């Protein structure tokens, strides 16, 4: 379904990436709330069952937009901060000036639920809060990153983001910090709705590939 949207979008005059993003946003806006909730629960369950999740100790996870259609990661956040068998150290993004994205440690679910929203409608620490917190990217402790996108091509493990480059820059910085400490790159796990999965997406040389991609109905590559 999504592949046909991509094919028509790629031929548009706005250019492959811009046109594909426009098509993806239209498709996401058409998803009913019930499908968003059901697919979010199913995709989060697949993350919890993934081997990379079992092996990791520290997870970077986005908090979903409140005014846009984005896969809801709250079930996963609740599980990781719940103190049960799948408890992990949790880090959430903070967008700063010049396209810089810091990752800040979350200590409780109540803390995250109380966060105000930023200009994109994402719950986020304020500048005053962030000023007192360490950027976990520099400590290189994050070993699993849950990566959002507008579209994914799971067969070739590529993604099309929203066009700001936040994640590509953050992932490059994180892996550089980990390499400097003799650590393996962080595992990059894309997560999205079934409708966001396509045969291909427009990519450029700087776009970072995923190690795996999860949707409500599948995992790529298959375990």
């Amino acid at each position: 379904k999504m592949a046909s949207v991509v094919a028509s979008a790629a031929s548009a005059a706005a250019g492959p990436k811009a046109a594909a993003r426009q098509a993806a946003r239209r498709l996401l806006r058409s998803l009913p709330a019930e499908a968003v909730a059901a697919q979010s629960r199913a995709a989060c369950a697949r993350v919890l069952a993934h081997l990379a999740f079992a092996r990791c100790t520290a997870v970077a996870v986005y908090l979903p937009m409140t005014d846009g259609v984005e896969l809801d990661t709250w079930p996963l956040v609740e599980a990781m901060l719940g103190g049960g068998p799948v408890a992990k150290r949790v880090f959430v993004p903070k967008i700063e000036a010049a396209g810089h994205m810091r990752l800040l440690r979350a200590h409780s679910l109540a803390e995250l639920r109380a966060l105000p929203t930023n200009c994109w409608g994402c719950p986020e620490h304020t500048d005053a809060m962030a000023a007192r917190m360490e950027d976990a990217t520099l400590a290189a402790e994050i070993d699993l990153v849950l990566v959002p996108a507008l579209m994914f091509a799971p067969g070739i493990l590529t993604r099309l983001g929203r066009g700001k480059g936040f994640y590509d820059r953050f992932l490059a910085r994180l892996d550089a910090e980990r390499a400097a400490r003799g650590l393996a790159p962080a595992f990059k796990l894309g997560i999205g709705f079934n409708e966001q999965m396509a045969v291909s997406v427009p990519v450029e040389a700087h776009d970072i590939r995923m190690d795996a991609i999860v949707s409500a109905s599948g995992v790529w590559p298959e375990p």
Side-chain angles (χ1 to χ4, degrees), residues 65-122:
M65 296 178 181
T66 56
D67 58 354
V69 180
E70 193 167 39
L71 193 134
D72 185 356
T73 57
W74 282 110
L76 186 58
V77 172
E78 290 168 359
M80 292 190 291
L81 290 174
V86 296
K88 306 286 183 182
R89 283 176 291 146
V90 175
F91 300 85
V92 295
K94 163 67 176 171
I95 305 300
E96 298 189 329
H100 182 62
M101 188 167 83
R102 297 175 67 200
L103 271 291
L104 307 177
R105 175 80 183 268
H107 293 282
S108 72
L109 186 60
E111 171 195 345
L112 294 183
R113 288 291 192 187
L115 291 178
T117 56
N118 62 16
C119 61
W120 293 285
C122 300

Side-chain angles (χ1 to χ4, degrees), residues 92-103 135 137 145 166-171 173:
V92 295
K94 163 67 176 171
I95 305 300
E96 298 189 329
H100 182 62
M101 188 167 83
R102 297 175 67 200
L103 271 291
D135 183 356
T137 310
V145 182
F166 294 138
Y167 272 89
D168 286 320
R169 288 190 294 273
F170 155 65
L171 291 169
R173 287 175 57 238

Side-chain angles (χ1 to χ4, degrees), residues 18-33:
R21 288 186 180 108
Q22 186 178 34
R25 289 188 177 98
R26 283 198 303 269
L27 188 145
L28 289 171
R29 285 194 295 268
S30 74
L31 293 178

Side-chain angles (χ1 to χ4, degrees), residues 75-212:
L76 186 58
V77 172
E78 290 168 359
M80 292 190 291
L81 290 174
V86 296
K88 306 286 183 182
R89 283 176 291 146
V90 175
F91 300 85
V92 295
K94 163 67 176 171
I95 305 300
E96 298 189 329
H100 182 62
M101 188 167 83
R102 297 175 67 200
L103 271 291
L104 307 177
R105 175 80 183 268
H107 293 282
S108 72
L109 186 60
E111 171 195 345
L112 294 183
R113 288 291 192 187
L115 291 178
T117 56
N118 62 16
C119 61
W120 293 285
C122 300
E124 185 182 78
H125 291 87
T126 65
D127 290 344
M129 293 174 187
R132 301 189 298 269
M133 303 172 76
E134 180 185 5
D135 183 356
T137 310
L138 301 178
E141 58 187 307
I142 296 168
D143 48 6
L144 173 64
V145 182
L146 298 180
V147 186
L150 280 174
M151 295 161 44
F152 291 99
I156 51 177
L157 299 177
T158 56
R159 64 182 283 274
L160 178 69
R162 295 180 178 272
K164 303 295 184 182
F166 294 138
Y167 272 89
D168 286 320
R169 288 190 294 273
F170 155 65
L171 291 169
R173 287 175 57 238
L174 175 61
D175 283 349
E177 293 291 345
R178 289 180 62 83
R181 292 163 173 77
L183 300 172
F187 194 95
K188 302 158 188 70
L189 183 58
I191 181 170
F193 298 109
N194 296 334
E195 289 80 0
Q196 290 177 282
M197 305 299 141
V199 173
S200 65
V201 295
V203 294
E204 297 176 66
H206 65 269
D207 294 326
I208 294 179
R209 288 179 182 267
M210 302 293 96
D211 294 300

